[in-house]
Every structure is written in structure tokens, then in C-alpha cells.
Amino acid sequence: SNQETVQLLSLVRSSMGLRDRFLVGVDTPHGSHKSVGVIEAAYNDKEGITAEFTLNSLSHVNRIAGLDFDTDKFRHVATYDEDQKAILTYVESLEDQIVKTDDGKSVLKLQKEDRIFMEQSRKFSSEMMRELGAQS
């Protein structure tokens, strides 16, 4: 949310000294200069690099939390939400499945096409960044 963005920028600002500088790189939202299709294509690249990155997150969860997500049973899904001006990334179950702990305890039951939210990547216009920066 914009409120969370202002809170983050305020936190960074409060930790900076007078001579410090903070460089922020942002990606612009859809509009006359960039279509939704262009944005979605960047997160659904033909080479599958972004999908591999997203699915690799499940492997990390397995290692850290002692779970058994099978990455072969999921697919990467990234869609652009025009209202939020954000890419929303999910992993989608390719079949009915049960995720278990290392000791066999069931912790998550998924049906085919159930999604797990993984990431949100917001897009900001220059004007919006100026407004959010001024509020921080």
C-alpha cells in the first residue's frame, strides 16, 4: 500500500545522515507508453527464468521449514493488476496434493489450480514517487 511505502521511506530517511543519499529504482505502471502485455511478458519470460526463480522459493521453504513442496507439481503465475499497478506472482498447484512436514504431518491441502501468493511488485510513476517521498 502507499501507507506501507511511506513507512518504509520514512524508516530509511530516519536512519540517514545529512550527507547520505538514497537511490531508488522504480518500474513504471501501464499506460500509453507501456502496455499490460509488456509488463506481464517481463514476468513470464519465454526462457522461464522468472518461473524458475519463483519455484525455487518453494525449495527454500522446504529447507527452512522442513516441508515437502514438490516444485514439479506447481507452475509460476504472474498477472498484472491494473488497479494496484502491480504484478502479483503466485505458484499454482497442478494437481490435488498435500504438503507435509519432514515427519509426515499434513500441513496444507491443495486442490488443482489453488494458488499460493508469492510476491507483489508494484509499479510507480515519477509523480507518485515524488508524492510518496514528500509524505515520508
Side-chain angles (χ1 to χ4, degrees), residues 45-132:
D45 56 287
K46 293 177 185 176
E47 298 83 7
I49 293 169
T50 307
E52 186 177 323
F53 178 83
T54 301
L55 292 169
N56 189 48
S57 298
L58 294 178
S59 298
H60 286 284
V61 169
N62 286 344
R63 189 172 54 256
I64 293 167
L67 300 177
D68 71 346
F69 281 101
D70 183 345
T71 58
D72 292 333
K73 294 181 179 180
F74 290 91
R75 75 181 186 103
H76 159 89
V77 177
T79 59
Y80 186 72
D81 183 304
E82 293 186 35
D83 293 331
Q84 294 185 56
K85 295 181 176 61
I87 281 283
L88 304 176
T89 303
Y90 304 87
V91 291
E92 182 178 273
S93 182
L94 298 173
E95 60 187 63
D96 293 353
Q97 58 182 302
I98 297 174
V99 178
K100 298 179 181 177
T101 61
D102 287 341
D103 61 4
K105 180 180 176 185
S106 297
V107 292
L108 182 63
K109 183 177 182 180
L110 297 166
Q111 295 180 340
K112 183 177 181 178
E113 298 182 353
D114 279 350
R115 291 182 175 181
I116 299 171
F117 177 75
M118 301 297 283
E119 173 187 12
Q120 175 180 343
S121 180
R122 292 190 61 203
K123 312 300 175 194
F124 297 94
S125 66
S126 297
E127 179 183 326
M128 178 58 76
M129 283 305 299
R130 280 191 290 279
E131 288 175 19
L132 295 171

Side-chain angles (χ1 to χ4, degrees), residues 2-16 22 131-136:
N2 287 348
Q3 180 182 358
E4 291 169 321
T5 303
V6 169
Q7 288 173 343
L8 174 64
L9 293 173
S10 296
L11 179 64
V12 170
R13 183 177 185 192
S14 71
S15 68
M16 293 175 64
F22 182 59
E131 288 175 19
L132 295 171
Q135 293 174 34
S136 59

